[in-house]
Amino acid sequence: MPELVGADSAPEVVALGLAQTATGSWDLGAEGLPPHELVVNWRPCVQCHGATPWSGVRGLVVAGQGPEPEEITTFDEDSVGADRAGQLGARGIEVVADVLRDEALTVFRDYRKAVDEGDVVVHNARGSAG
């Protein structure tokens, strides 16, 4: 049976929630806490992008910011505009991009191969599989 993978699982939101639980604060930028950063495999989807400034993190590290994951995986990541890094920067969040970019793209390609071979089924809120 293929593994079921949800495009809507919002791993960044889960990571932020776990960090908030571990620190005992909803604000990861609260006084007395060290600056926190979120490290992810690509720029966040619209849901995670929205949660990032609310979390209080001071940094976001991403493997890349382009459309490649959508092209490779067919995930619908939605759009929050072309200048996501600028939007976060305006809220005091430093964005560092292109960290292990090629390696991240290899993971996306391997994932797509698993989908194409039937080892993984992708679903989204509209019930389609890709």
Side-chain angles (χ1 to χ4, degrees):
M1 174 174 232
E3 179 182 355
L4 184 63
V5 176
D8 58 350
S9 51
E12 291 93 332
V13 173
V14 172
L16 292 169
L18 291 171
Q20 290 164 332
T21 298
T23 62
S25 175
W26 291 109
D27 182 0
L28 297 174
E31 188 172 324
L33 289 179
H36 286 80
E37 66 183 7
L38 179 62
V39 180
V40 297
N41 63 350
W42 210 260
R43 55 143 169 77
C45 72
V46 66
Q47 178 182 4
C48 298
H49 176 84
T52 300
W54 289 351
S55 72
V57 297
R58 296 291 176 235
L60 175 66
V61 178
V62 297
Q65 301 184 85
E68 293 91 335
E70 290 90 345
E71 294 166 356
I72 294 168
T73 66
T74 72
F75 285 167
D76 179 2
E77 298 295 336
D78 205 353
S79 175
V80 293
D83 188 19
R84 293 177 189 217
Q87 293 171 13
L88 294 173
R91 291 170 174 81
I93 300 170
E94 178 185 4
V95 178
V96 176
D98 297 328
V99 175
L100 300 175
R101 184 179 199 284
D102 293 337
E103 292 85 344
L105 289 171
T106 296
V107 171
F108 287 120
R109 288 184 189 103
D110 290 347
Y111 171 82
R112 183 70 228 178
K113 182 180 177 193
V115 170
D116 291 343
E117 292 174 354
D119 297 332
V120 174
V121 175
V122 180
H123 76 285
N124 64 32
R126 290 178 296 283
S128 63

